[in-house]
Coordinates of all heavy atoms in Angstrom, one line a residue:
D102 N 0.7 -6.8 8.0 CA 0.3 -8.3 8.2 C 1.4 -9.0 8.9 O 1.2 -10.0 9.6 CB 0.1 -8.9 6.8 CG -1.1 -8.2 6.1 OD1 -2.2 -8.2 6.7 OD2 -0.9 -7.5 5.1
L110 N 8.2 -4.8 6.8 CA 6.8 -5.2 6.9 C 6.4 -6.0 5.7 O 6.9 -5.8 4.6 CB 5.9 -4.0 6.9 CG 6.3 -2.8 7.8 CD1 5.4 -1.6 7.5 CD2 6.2 -3.2 9.3
I111 N 5.4 -6.9 5.9 CA 4.6 -7.4 4.8 C 3.2 -6.7 5.0 O 2.7 -6.7 6.1 CB 4.4 -8.9 4.8 CG1 5.7 -9.6 4.3 CG2 3.2 -9.3 3.9 CD1 5.6 -11.1 4.2
K112 N 2.8 -6.1 3.9 CA 1.5 -5.4 3.9 C 0.7 -5.8 2.6 O 1.2 -6.3 1.7 CB 1.6 -3.9 3.9 CG 2.1 -3.4 5.2 CD 2.2 -1.8 5.3 CE 1.0 -1.1 4.8 NZ -0.3 -1.5 5.4
G113 N -0.6 -5.5 2.6 CA -1.4 -5.8 1.4 C -2.4 -6.8 1.6 O -3.1 -7.2 0.7
L118 N -1.9 -2.2 -1.0 CA -0.5 -2.0 -0.8 C 0.1 -0.9 -1.6 O 1.0 -0.1 -1.2 CB 0.3 -3.3 -0.9 CG 0.2 -3.9 -2.3 CD1 1.5 -3.8 -3.1 CD2 -0.2 -5.3 -2.2
K122 N 1.9 2.3 0.0 CA 3.3 2.6 -0.2 C 3.5 4.0 -0.7 O 4.5 4.8 -0.3 CB 4.0 1.6 -1.0 CG 5.5 1.6 -0.7 CD 6.3 0.6 -1.6 CE 6.3 -0.8 -1.0 NZ 7.3 -1.7 -1.7
L149 N 3.1 -13.1 0.6 CA 3.4 -11.8 0.2 C 2.5 -11.3 -1.0 O 2.5 -11.9 -2.1 CB 4.9 -11.7 -0.3 CG 5.4 -10.4 -0.9 CD1 5.4 -9.3 0.2 CD2 6.7 -10.6 -1.6
P150 N 1.7 -10.2 -0.7 CA 0.8 -9.7 -1.8 C 1.6 -8.8 -2.7 O 2.5 -8.0 -2.3 CB -0.2 -8.8 -1.0 CG 0.0 -9.2 0.5 CD 1.4 -9.6 0.6
V151 N 1.4 -9.1 -4.0 CA 2.0 -8.3 -5.1 C 0.9 -7.8 -6.0 O 0.2 -8.6 -6.5 CB 3.1 -9.1 -5.8 CG1 3.7 -8.3 -7.0 CG2 4.2 -9.6 -4.9
E152 N 0.8 -6.5 -6.2 CA -0.1 -6.0 -7.2 C 0.5 -6.0 -8.5 O 1.6 -5.6 -8.8 CB -0.6 -4.5 -6.8 CG -1.6 -4.1 -7.8 CD -2.4 -2.8 -7.4 OE1 -2.2 -2.3 -6.3 OE2 -3.2 -2.3 -8.2
E206 N 12.4 -7.1 -2.2 CA 11.6 -6.0 -2.7 C 12.1 -5.5 -4.0 O 11.3 -5.3 -5.0 CB 11.6 -4.9 -1.6 CG 10.6 -3.8 -2.0 CD 10.7 -2.7 -0.9 OE1 11.6 -2.6 -0.1 OE2 9.8 -1.8 -1.0
V209 N 11.4 -8.2 -6.8 CA 10.0 -8.3 -7.2 C 9.6 -7.1 -8.1 O 8.9 -7.2 -9.1 CB 9.1 -8.5 -6.0 CG1 7.6 -8.3 -6.3 CG2 9.3 -9.8 -5.3
E217 N 3.4 -3.1 -7.7 CA 4.1 -2.8 -6.4 C 4.2 -4.1 -5.6 O 3.3 -5.0 -5.7 CB 3.4 -1.7 -5.6 CG 4.1 -1.2 -4.4 CD 5.6 -0.8 -4.7 OE1 5.8 0.3 -5.3 OE2 6.5 -1.6 -4.4
A218 N 5.2 -4.2 -4.7 CA 5.4 -5.4 -3.9 C 4.9 -5.0 -2.4 O 5.1 -3.9 -2.0 CB 6.8 -5.8 -3.8
G219 N 4.3 -5.9 -1.7 CA 3.8 -5.7 -0.4 C 4.9 -5.8 0.7 O 4.6 -6.0 1.9
L220 N 6.2 -5.7 0.3 CA 7.3 -5.6 1.2 C 7.6 -4.1 1.5 O 7.8 -3.3 0.5 CB 8.6 -6.2 0.7 CG 8.6 -7.8 0.9 CD1 9.7 -8.3 0.0 CD2 9.0 -8.1 2.3
F221 N 7.6 -3.7 2.7 CA 7.9 -2.3 3.0 C 9.2 -2.3 3.9 O 9.2 -2.7 5.0 CB 6.8 -1.7 3.9 CG 5.5 -1.3 3.1 CD1 4.9 -2.3 2.3 CD2 4.9 -0.1 3.2 CE1 3.7 -1.9 1.5 CE2 3.8 0.3 2.5 CZ 3.2 -0.7 1.7

Side-chain angles (χ1 to χ4, degrees):
D102 299 298
L110 316 173
I111 284 184
K112 286 184 50 53
L118 62 109
K122 202 181 272 191
L149 176 67
V151 177
E152 181 166 356
E206 182 181 15
V209 169
E217 194 47 82
L220 275 166
F221 286 51

